[in-house]
Structure formats: C-alpha cells, structure tokens
Amino acid sequence: GGDGYNISDWFEKKLKIPGSIIGGGHSVANFIIEIAQTLGCSPIILVGYDLAFGKGQERYAPGVESAQATAEADADMPIAWKDTQGNSIQTAWKWILEADWIADFAKAHPRTRIINATEGGLGIQNIVHMSFKEAQQKY
C-alpha cells in the first residue's frame, strides 16, 4: 500500500495480497528511499541529493525542466544555511524537512545503510557522507 494512494488497497484486496502501508515522506525522493528499504536494498546511495539551490538559485540541474518548478519557486524562498563543510548555502524549508525525514528514517532502520555520496549541500544527520568514488569502491 502507498500512503495516500488508495488504488494499491484495491489491488491488494482484489488479489488477496497482504501488504503494509509505505509512507511517502516529504518528497518523491523520500518515497523512493522507503521503497528501496522495503525491497531490502542496503546500502542505499544518494547521489545529487544536495538539498540546496545552485549558485544562480536554480532548483534543478541544467536541462531539467519542470512545470512544478515554476509553481514551487514562489512557495519556497531561499534561506541561508550551512553545508556539510560549514560553508554558506541557500536551501528551502522543504529540503530541511526532507533531510530530517531521512535522518529519522535512518535512525528507525539501523540495518539499512544509507549513504550520501553527494558533494556539498545541506548534509543529513545519522547517515554516512562519502564521495561517490569511495562508495563505489567500498560497495
């Protein structure tokens, strides 16, 4: 079952498949982490998950467009924060909530190793931060 999506309940009842509810966190990325953990993935390696605006206050990498990005732009004004190295960055409250969700999720699921292989950005408590190259070599 999916948190907020009743279609999965219908399939589970119709096909007599027992299931449990998978929460959604605060974003699609949070939901994907929960799906990966439910499927038994470990480690889960996050790449490009900086939770911060780029130098020009862009939300997405060049070439990635989103109709939702325009609507979100007014709702999530940048706020000053510190990155994993203590440098000033711009982030949004929703990204701070996403990071907190991941930190809480990692604490609640100690057998699932979550690694942030993103260079820079907001940082996430309760998970290991390392370079992607190091994560590749180790896992």
Side-chain angles (χ1 to χ4, degrees), residues 3-139:
D3 187 18
Y5 300 97
N6 296 333
I7 191 71
S8 57
D9 294 336
W10 182 86
F11 277 105
E12 288 170 358
K13 288 177 186 168
K14 188 79 169 169
L15 300 173
K16 296 180 173 79
I17 302 170
S20 58
I21 300 297
I22 297 175
H26 295 285
S27 67
V28 171
N30 289 164
F31 187 50
I32 291 168
I33 290 168
E34 188 145 3
I35 289 171
Q37 186 274 332
T38 301
L39 293 172
C41 298
S42 186
I44 298 169
I45 302 173
L46 308 177
V47 178
Y49 204 75
D50 61 7
L51 300 168
F53 290 101
K55 290 183 172 134
Q57 302 298 330
E58 61 274 357
R59 294 172 177 271
Y60 300 99
V64 176
E65 296 181 45
S66 169
Q68 187 177 357
T70 305
E72 290 176 351
D74 295 332
D76 289 315
M77 297 303 294
I79 58 171
W81 211 261
K82 298 288 182 185
D83 70 4
T84 57
Q85 310 300 316
N87 301 313
S88 295
I89 60 167
Q90 296 288 310
T91 189
W93 283 113
K94 73 176 191 173
W95 292 330
I96 294 167
L97 292 174
E98 285 184 46
D100 285 347
W101 182 92
I102 294 170
D104 291 343
F105 187 84
K107 195 173 182 180
H109 300 89
R111 290 182 155 188
T112 301
R113 188 161 183 87
I114 302 175
I115 298 163
N116 191 349
T118 303
E119 294 181 22
L122 184 61
I124 304 166
Q125 294 181 356
N126 300 331
I127 68 170
V128 173
H129 289 77
M130 66 175 66
S131 71
F132 183 60
K133 185 173 183 171
E134 186 180 353
Q136 283 180 304
Q137 291 170 347
K138 189 167 185 174
Y139 299 101

